[in-house]
């Protein structure tokens, strides 16, 4: 169970999902670079919409692949190696995108791969935060069972909002705060099942660890956004390249610490299947979409996008896997939908 | 089970809860008459707050009495006779209040008991609507089980909002509509339990009947508000007196139709206990509070008030009866709280 959990989590890698490669999303490189420069509001809104939809669709299909792979049987492969491959793939995609940019635009100050020590150093921080969080994940299961952990993970929503306010100093209107509380309550409601009440028996240590993990996760997201936005004109592929280099390094550490024997005895690719390959591809693309969202939108959009994706996943699963939707799911979806509505209405009135 | 359900429902009588007797709520008669006349906004707000709090507290204690009486054993008394006594008590209280008013203010056009045929005729409509609804209640259980019916009753919230808009032509802001949807979702979420999903298996007839009953209930409430507000200067005790006269008459019909044999064989007061007496008293006072709310506030305030009361009841039950609160309850309460907040914020921006 634990390895599965990590597989779901780990899809996002030990690093935040932060690589972008424009051709994959369908926005031509030059165009988007121009747009950021000019700050053309309408086009920015268009990019924002496209990346948000892309993230939502990719996250939904990600969850569906997980369900599919669960149905197909147990995970046999090592999760840490898969995480490493996700990081490596994103790294390769960002290099490929840079290659295209260099060949059309030439190398300039914004798209050169070389970066200052300061610029590179900050890229270790999100990676380190995710490493700590993933290590904690092994300890929290001593206090919290897996279904309860799924429920407690919704703290991420609140922690992201709070840290977004405190660290990035971005303001949300009162109505948007209310919408954020509703998003958290709605997502949790949609996940309710007959054993959910056990979460209330979680011991204090479990609550504290869940809150710490939510803060770490929120902090990594917010920190990544800060990195991406510090130099708006800086090419996103370069920023991501460095973020993912550290993602690869930290995942090598994770392989050595957790799966060294297994990899040595069975080989790096033991247990890989078609689904595994698709999941790695999907996680890499989702990471790229998150990266776009961080650069052109923000953490709040990311949270909404992944929350809506969770609901879409359940709906699609009804058709694909004959899932039965619960009343709690309908109620939670209603609350999440109203939350999305209020978030946009609240913005207009700000 | 059915008779219990009716006992809970029936507390509100076969008639809307519409009698007021100022001394009971603590607002002196003359003062409130003056206020309505002058329309002093601040004082009106004060009355509105007092009656809302009174309704909330009375509704909460009503539900607690029901739990208490369930713990004490089965209902032995006839529900229709209890309903009749509730109507009769409210009628007596409104006459008592009128007596006080007449002795201090004398009889005038606004507080005279005599009413035109038109004024009296409309008072039959809410009573008739409630009678139809209560009769339907017996048939719906052929299609819907009792716990599912509790869930479906939350349609009342939506139907009240919709009819309030259509019939009374009162506007709610977009945010207030969103808040209303949340109120419905939140109340339902708070009531979720392991068997709630059965409601999704309700056959079409059950859904249709539940919706019709919600519309009848909403219509009766909205119609009562229209009656109360048609002549704002008309003394509320007179308006209620006539409403409750028809409440008594319709309950006599209900006794004859449903409990004639039982009453004839066992007597009118068979099975009455201290709790029964307290419940009748409480229902009468709740009815009086609803009446105030209809006159000085509106149906929306009533819906919020009774919804919050439901949550308060559960909280109080934790201490009184060692109830365990579910995660769903916490989530639902959160959503309802946000809904109350949004309703008030939405009002300011209207």
């Amino acid at each position: 169970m634990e390895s599965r959990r990590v597989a779901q989590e780990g899809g996002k890698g030990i690093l935040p999902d932060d690589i972008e490669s424009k051709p994959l999303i369908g926005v031509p490189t030059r165009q988007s670079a121009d747009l950021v420069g000019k700050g053309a509001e309408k086009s920015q809104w268009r990019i924002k919409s496209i990346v948000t939809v892309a993230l939502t669709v990719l996250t939904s299909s990600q969850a569906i692949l997980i369900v599919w792979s669960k149905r197909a049987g147990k995970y046999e492969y090592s999760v840490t190696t898969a995480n490493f491959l996700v990081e490596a793939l994103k790294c390769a995609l960002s290099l490929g995108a840079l290659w295209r940019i260099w060949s059309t635009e030439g190398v300039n100050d914004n798209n050169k791969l070389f970066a200052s020590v300061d610029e590179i150093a900050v890229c270790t921080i999100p990676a380190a935060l995710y490493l700590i969080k993933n290590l904690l994940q092994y300890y929290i299961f001593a206090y919290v069972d897996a279904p309860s952990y799924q429920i407690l993970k919704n703290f991420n929503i609140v922690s992201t909002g709070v840290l977004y306010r405190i660290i990035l100093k971005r303001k949300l209107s009162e109505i948007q705060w209310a919408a954020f509380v509703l998003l958290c309550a709605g997502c949790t409601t949609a996940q309710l099942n007959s054993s959910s009440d056990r979460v209330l028996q979680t011991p204090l240590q479990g609550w504290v660890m869940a809150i710490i993990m939510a803060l770490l996760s929120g902090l990594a997201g917010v920190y990544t956004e800060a990195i991406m936005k510090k130099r708006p004109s800086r090419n996103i592929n370069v920023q991501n390249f460095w973020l993912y280099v550290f993602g690869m390094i930290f995942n090598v550490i994770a392989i050595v610490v957790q799966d060294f024997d297994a990899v040595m005895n069975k080989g790096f690719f033991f247990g890989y299947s078609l689904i595994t390959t698709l999941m790695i591809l999907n996680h890499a693309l989702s990471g790229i979409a998150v990266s776009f969202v961080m650069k052109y939108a923000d953490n709040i959009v990311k949270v909404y996008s992944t929350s809506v994706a969770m609901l879409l996943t359940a709906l699609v699963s009804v058709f694909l896997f004959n899932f039965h939707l619960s009343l709690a799911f309908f109620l939670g979806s209603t609350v999440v939908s109203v939350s999305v509505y209020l978030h946009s209405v609240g913005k207009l009135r700000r």
Side-chain angles (χ1 to χ4, degrees), chain A residues 70-266:
Chain A
K70 273 187 187 169
R71 297 252 155 162
K74 270 179 69 181
Y75 290 107
E76 290 286 328
Y77 65 94
S78 128
V79 172
T80 52
T81 61
N83 282 353
F84 173 83
L85 290 175
V86 169
E87 304 296 307
L89 182 55
K90 287 193 271 195
C91 222
L93 289 170
S94 64
L95 269 181
L98 275 174
W99 193 266
R100 260 188 68 167
I101 293 165
W102 292 331
S103 65
T104 51
E105 295 177 13
V107 178
N108 62 35
D109 213 40
N110 284 330
N111 68 23
K112 63 176 181 188
L113 198 59
F114 180 81
S116 67
V117 175
D118 282 358
E119 197 178 354
I120 296 174
V122 291
C123 291
T124 59
I125 292 174
L129 290 171
Y130 272 97
L131 181 71
I132 299 170
K133 190 193 143 220
N134 284 359
L135 289 175
L136 267 182
Q137 203 157 38
Y138 281 90
Y139 294 101
I140 197 171
F141 288 111
Y143 305 103
V144 183
D145 59 18
S148 296
Y149 179 62
Q150 285 297 321
I151 298 275
L152 291 174
K153 264 171 68 181
N154 290 303
F155 277 138
N156 283 359
I157 296 174
V158 176
S159 71
T160 302
V162 171
L163 294 169
Y164 178 84
R165 174 73 192 87
I166 295 174
I167 296 178
L168 297 181
K169 296 194 173 56
R170 228 73 60 75
K171 280 187 184 165
L172 292 173
S173 71
E174 286 178 1
I175 292 193
Q176 286 183 317
W177 276 113
F180 225 60
V181 173
L182 291 173
L183 183 67
C184 186
C187 285
T188 314
T189 302
Q191 293 170 348
L192 284 180
N193 58 49
S194 54
S195 66
S196 299
D197 274 1
R198 275 189 302 183
V199 76
L200 299 174
Q201 269 92 57
T202 302
L204 185 64
Q205 297 100 314
W207 288 102
V208 171
M209 287 180 77
I211 290 167
I212 291 174
M213 284 176 64
L215 287 172
L216 286 170
S217 175
L219 203 55
V222 165
Y223 207 93
T224 305
E225 185 180 336
I227 292 172
M228 304 304 281
K229 286 188 173 149
K230 198 181 176 191
R231 271 181 69 186
S233 59
R234 184 61 158 146
N235 190 285
I236 189 174
N237 298 292
V238 180
Q239 296 177 311
N240 285 326
F241 173 80
W242 288 108
L243 278 170
Y244 281 107
V245 163
F246 290 104
M248 288 169 68
I249 295 172
F250 277 93
N251 270 300
V252 169
I253 297 174
I255 292 174
V256 172
V257 172
Q258 290 171 13
D259 287 329
F260 187 76
D261 289 346
V263 170
M264 281 296 135
N265 295 333
K266 297 180 180 172

Side-chain angles (χ1 to χ4, degrees), chain A residues 30 48 51 168 196 306 310 342:
Chain A
R30 205 178 302 175
K48 206 169 154 175
V51 298
L168 297 181
S196 299
T306 48
M310 183 196 75
L342 287 170

